[in-house]
Amino acid sequence: DIQMAQSPTSLSASVGDRITISCRASHNLMNYLNWYQHEPGKAPKLLIYAASSVQTGVPSRFSGSGSGTDFTLTIDGLQPEDFAVYYCQQSFSSPFTFGPGTKLEIK
Amino acid sequence: QVQLQQYGAGLLRPSETLSLTCVVSGGSFSGYYWNWLRQSPGKRLEWIGEMNQSGRTTYNPSLQSRLTIAEIYRSQFSLRLTSVIAADSGTYYCARRNTMLSPGDFFDFWGQGTLVTVSS
């Protein structure tokens, strides 16, 4: 199985801040890497697919970059509704695997 | 708008069979892969397995021996996990995997989640 790691585990930030979350894979994913936002009691929401493509309807403050084994999610100009848990997920090969999550909290 | 509505029993005893159903509406069932995922308390999301409209299935090897995913009616698919244990407790989600936007391959629509508790 492809192992996924994320850093940091948690992050404290303020409204308006720019933050980045890193994701590292144990195998070359090319660009088969997705990012999801997960709020308590809700279903995960797709933000970024294919490493850098923004899903329809997702605000432009969300962006993704990277390829191979190292990827980054950036939120530029945090809004109150952005405080949630963020997961990366590889779709390069089955079984599809997720990172452990990064909890974004309000400072 | 595509919607996935899931239902099923949420409280089970050890050794019983977990059964969940996911109803897909507002979009085509064909051309996509229909998945189940779960998240146990304090753990990361885990992919369970999937099927396509032809009935072809792919399962997570860690669960394969206890798992069945199948289409039970038009645009409805199910999850059956036999011989459950406490470690199978968690929130279960159905989701659509979309491979139409090459090279994209992602879970774009999800069910609302079902909390499953396995306890004696």
Side-chain angles (χ1 to χ4, degrees):
Chain A
D1 299 3
I2 295 176
Q3 307 302 312
M4 305 298 294
Q6 283 181 240
S7 63
T9 302
S10 63
L11 178 57
S12 183
S14 301
V15 172
D17 284 354
R18 180 177 188 268
I19 65 99
T20 60
I21 299 170
S22 297
C23 178
R24 175 165 287 180
S26 63
H27 183 90
N28 183 352
L29 304 180
M30 298 169 65
N31 67 343
Y32 285 90
L33 188 284
N34 308 312
W35 290 97
Y36 300 84
Q37 177 191 65
H38 196 187
E39 297 177 73
K42 295 186 177 181
K45 175 185 176 183
L46 176 68
L47 299 174
I48 305 289
Y49 64 92
S52 61
S53 296
V54 181
Q55 171 68 339
T56 303
V58 172
S60 58
R61 62 181 179 273
F62 291 90
S63 63
S65 64
S67 67
T69 61
D70 291 289
F71 302 87
T72 300
L73 172 70
T74 300
I75 311 175
D76 194 356
L78 279 171
Q79 296 300 302
E81 61 268 28
D82 298 338
F83 293 94
V85 180
Y86 292 86
Y87 294 96
C88 59
Q89 176 248 329
Q90 65 83 15
S91 54
F92 181 81
S93 67
S94 170
F96 308 114
T97 48
F98 289 78
T102 295
K103 186 174 183 180
L104 178 56
E105 298 174 304
I106 299 176
K107 184 182 289 184
Chain B
Q1 175 76 330
V2 175
Q3 292 189 335
L4 281 69
Q5 182 73 32
Q6 55 184 103
Y7 61 91
L11 181 60
L12 297 168
R13 298 189 185 280
S15 80
E16 291 184 334
T17 296
L18 167 63
S19 292
L20 297 175
T21 298
C22 185
V23 180
V24 181
S25 61
S28 174
F29 195 74
S30 63
Y32 300 94
Y33 296 85
W34 301 97
N35 286 254
W36 290 97
L37 304 95
R38 70 181 183 182
Q39 186 169 35
S40 300
K43 297 198 170 184
R44 68 185 72 190
L45 284 157
E46 178 183 25
W47 177 75
I48 295 172
E50 69 179 8
M51 60 163 287
N52 65 9
Q53 85 278 4
S54 301
R56 178 175 177 266
T57 55
T58 306
Y59 297 152
N60 192 320
S62 68
L63 297 167
Q64 185 164 354
S65 63
R66 299 190 289 136
L67 185 60
T68 304
I69 295 174
E71 184 177 14
I72 55 172
Y73 190 67
R74 191 169 62 181
S75 298
Q76 296 185 28
F77 66 105
S78 67
L79 165 72
R80 288 186 76 249
L81 184 67
T82 62
S83 303
V84 297
I85 60 176
D88 292 316
S89 298
T91 300
Y92 284 70
Y93 298 96
C94 57
R96 186 180 84 170
R97 184 165 75 93
N98 186 344
T99 62
M100 298 281 202
L101 298 176
S102 181
D105 182 333
F106 46 82
F107 301 110
D108 58 353
F109 290 97
W110 296 65
Q112 78 277 19
T114 299
L115 179 62
V116 173
T117 302
V118 180
S119 175
S120 55

